[in-house]
Amino acid sequence: MRTLVFDGRTGAAGDMICAALIAAGADPDALAPVSDALPVRYAVGEVEKNGIRATTVDVLIDDRTVETDGDHDHGHDHDHGHDHGHDNDPSTSGSDEPAEGAGVHRSYREVVDLVESMGLPPAVESTALDAFELLGRAEASVHGTDLDETHFHEVGADDAIADVVGAALLLADLGPERVVTTPVAAGGGTVEMSHGTYPVPAPATTEIASRAGFRIAGGPIDRELLTPTGAAILGAVADGFDAVPDLAVERAGYGAGDADFERHPNVLRALVGDGREPGPDGDREKRDDDRARAGQPVDGRLAHDDIAILETNLDDAAPEVLGGLQETLSRAGARDVTIVPTTMKKSRPGHLVKVICKPADAEAVAERLARETGTLGVRQSGASHRWIADRAFETATLRVDGEDHEVDVKVASTTDGEVYDVSGEYDDAAAVAEATGLPIREVLRRVEAEVREQLPRE
């Protein structure tokens, strides 16, 4: 099996990954679709790092007009700023100014729309979108927002998009059947970002590492060595290994980072060769588990949804208060409310209230729960996500005595579209039952059967 191995003992960033792929045999001309879509150009060159000859890739501002954000401050040492000798397109004239932070800073949805507008091959587009989804979910988790509402700062500018899409294009050109990575050095100390000074690894990098299928390691120096962009690219394409796997090496290449370190060559090594083919069941299971941790769809499984779970114990709540919690907490942002009878201290009867909500709504829901019940404390449990069905609603029409009655029917499916449940909405069915004299369960049976008949047959 043709295998690509990344060896990130001094970290990884988007430009280092692109450079390592070129050094390992990918054609720089494969980067043309990015330069066609964005006002940037790639400069590919070579440099020596602690005695190792390595490839460099810079994303530079093209001659076209680029909007800049004067407040942008990017503290990642790896991304750009190398001194190179030539462009990937010698006929293209342009500025030598790095594109770091240039262009508008986009939301996750704007980035997705931009990538989808580039006309990339499906596999390349999928890889790039997987990486940006990892970045988006990480940012959403760190900032407590929904994915589609997430606004990128450093990673929404032109240079970061050029790194991610460029890596996807180069990877497709190199054409490995499998990509793996050894543990990646994260570095140490602190890093300056647009929101302030943060410990290394940066919050988004840490969140991506928790979702990706590879390990990170601290050190070996107090600098940021693994950037969010680099972590997201690796998380989208690579399985984690504790060491370089059994490999008949055909080619080795090194992608250089910007900084120079006294004792450590600041390079990302890429090895290409014939690797031992893993067993199909174990390999697929690991790949699916890695994708699931990353919040990516897995065929036949449920979708990832970031949540917060709030709990409180009540021993003196009136039944009317408990009965109204579904409505009052839903208005504050609760997605689901469960009330469980329990036994509390001194054998007194009580209730456990559990609430599911989005992380961004947790504080408002907790305050509403406290005000409605008088509880002195609301705890947030350790769960960070749930697995949910893809849900859609169909409208079924039930004709009784010459009159049509409509009932909404919920259709639940896995991420690959396999329907596993069809359920009529109870309130709609109850209203039809009252109007027609039919039993509620008969209304539900008929409308669910109608929707099942309309579903595509395999």
Side-chain angles (χ1 to χ4, degrees):
M1 172 182 286
R2 183 172 172 79
T3 301
L4 167 65
V5 180
F6 287 111
D7 187 5
R9 301 186 194 195
T10 48
D15 60 329
M16 295 175 73
I17 293 173
C18 290
L21 289 169
I22 291 172
D27 186 351
D29 289 343
L31 296 167
V34 178
S35 298
D36 292 342
L38 293 173
V40 300
R41 62 187 181 90
Y42 294 92
V44 180
E46 291 183 343
V47 70
E48 186 176 293
K49 293 287 185 179
N50 297 66
I52 294 178
R53 192 170 184 83
T55 299
T56 57
V57 171
D58 270 351
V59 180
L60 305 177
I61 295 176
D62 199 5
D63 283 338
R64 287 171 286 179
T65 302
V66 182
E67 293 182 17
T68 59
D69 181 351
D71 294 331
H72 179 79
D73 182 14
H74 194 308
H76 298 163
D77 289 325
H78 278 157
D79 285 345
H80 305 293
H82 303 289
D83 185 11
H84 307 294
H86 63 276
D87 293 341
N88 62 307
D89 182 0
S91 65
T92 302
S93 63
S95 167
D96 288 331
E97 181 181 352
E100 187 174 3
V104 295
H105 293 181
R106 303 168 178 89
S107 68
Y108 168 75
R109 179 49 52 188
E110 289 170 336
V111 170
V112 170
D113 291 343
L114 175 60
V115 172
E116 290 178 341
S117 72
M118 289 183 176
L120 303 169
V124 173
E125 180 179 293
S126 177
T127 297
L129 292 179
D130 284 350
F132 278 117
E133 183 174 354
L134 265 176
L135 282 164
R137 290 192 180 279
E139 293 285 353
S141 179
V142 169
H143 298 298
T145 59
D146 287 331
L147 178 61
D148 285 342
E149 298 172 358
T150 298
H151 191 85
F152 289 138
H153 296 279
E154 285 86 354
V155 296
D158 289 346
D159 63 315
I161 293 173
D163 282 342
V164 173
V165 180
L169 287 162
L170 293 168
L171 185 67
D173 182 75
L174 194 60
E177 297 174 81
R178 192 180 195 201
V179 182
V180 303
T181 182
T182 64
V184 184
T190 60
V191 60
E192 296 294 329
M193 301 177 67
S194 58
H195 289 295
T197 304
Y198 291 88
V200 171
T205 303
T206 304
E207 187 65 29
I208 292 169
S210 73
R211 298 169 180 268
F214 64 88
R215 301 169 67 89
I216 63 172
I221 60 173
D222 281 347
R223 295 284 292 270
E224 183 188 40
L225 300 181
L226 177 62
T227 67
T229 304
I233 295 170
L234 293 179
V237 303
D239 294 326
F241 272 60
D242 289 336
V244 175
D246 187 347
L247 187 72
V249 178
E250 299 171 4
R251 185 157 182 173
Y254 297 86
D258 178 34
D260 292 316
F261 307 137
E262 182 178 354
R263 297 182 56 83
H264 301 278
N266 187 16
V267 295
L268 172 66
R269 180 166 66 167
L271 306 173
V272 179
D274 184 18
R276 179 180 298 171
E277 186 171 359
D281 292 337
D283 183 55
R284 178 180 179 184
E285 182 178 350
K286 183 181 188 305
R287 182 174 65 249
D288 284 355
D289 287 344
D290 291 343
R291 290 179 64 81
R293 279 196 302 272
Q296 300 168 15
V298 178
D299 288 348
R301 296 194 181 182
L302 302 180
H304 182 286
D305 183 37
D306 292 325
I307 59 166
I309 297 181
L310 307 178
E311 298 179 347
T312 191
N313 294 82
L314 305 173
D315 62 3
D316 59 355
E320 294 83 2
V321 171
L322 294 174
L325 285 180
Q326 290 278 358
E327 181 177 352
T328 55
L329 296 181
S330 293
R331 288 200 297 266
R335 302 299 178 92
D336 190 30
V337 180
T338 303
I339 302 173
V340 183
T342 189
T343 300
M344 302 181 64
K345 61 184 180 181
K346 298 182 181 180
S347 299
R348 290 182 296 190
H351 294 86
L352 169 63
V353 180
K354 296 174 69 74
V355 185
I356 295 175
C357 62
K358 299 299 291 181
D361 297 326
E363 184 175 356
V365 174
E367 181 180 355
R368 175 51 57 188
L369 178 57
R371 290 183 179 276
E372 291 293 331
T373 64
T375 184
L376 300 180
V378 177
R379 59 188 175 272
Q380 183 167 334
S381 70
S384 62
H385 63 269
R386 61 179 175 176
W387 302 107
I388 61 173
D390 285 345
R391 286 164 283 187
F393 284 89
E394 302 290 341
T395 300
T397 301
L398 184 64
R399 191 169 185 81
V400 180
D401 296 333
E403 293 188 10
D404 291 337
H405 304 270
E406 292 186 344
V407 176
D408 283 342
V409 179
K410 184 187 300 180
V411 179
S413 62
T414 59
T415 54
D416 60 356
E418 180 183 353
V419 174
Y420 67 86
D421 186 65
V422 175
S423 301
E425 290 293 282
Y426 180 86
D427 289 345
D428 289 356
V432 173
E434 183 176 357
T436 63
L438 291 172
I440 295 176
R441 65 176 184 172
E442 177 63 15
V443 175
L444 290 171
R445 185 190 68 79
R446 292 189 189 183
V447 296
E448 290 168 3
E450 177 183 327
V451 170
R452 286 188 184 276
E453 283 294 320
Q454 295 172 356
L455 293 174
R457 298 187 181 276
E458 297 183 357

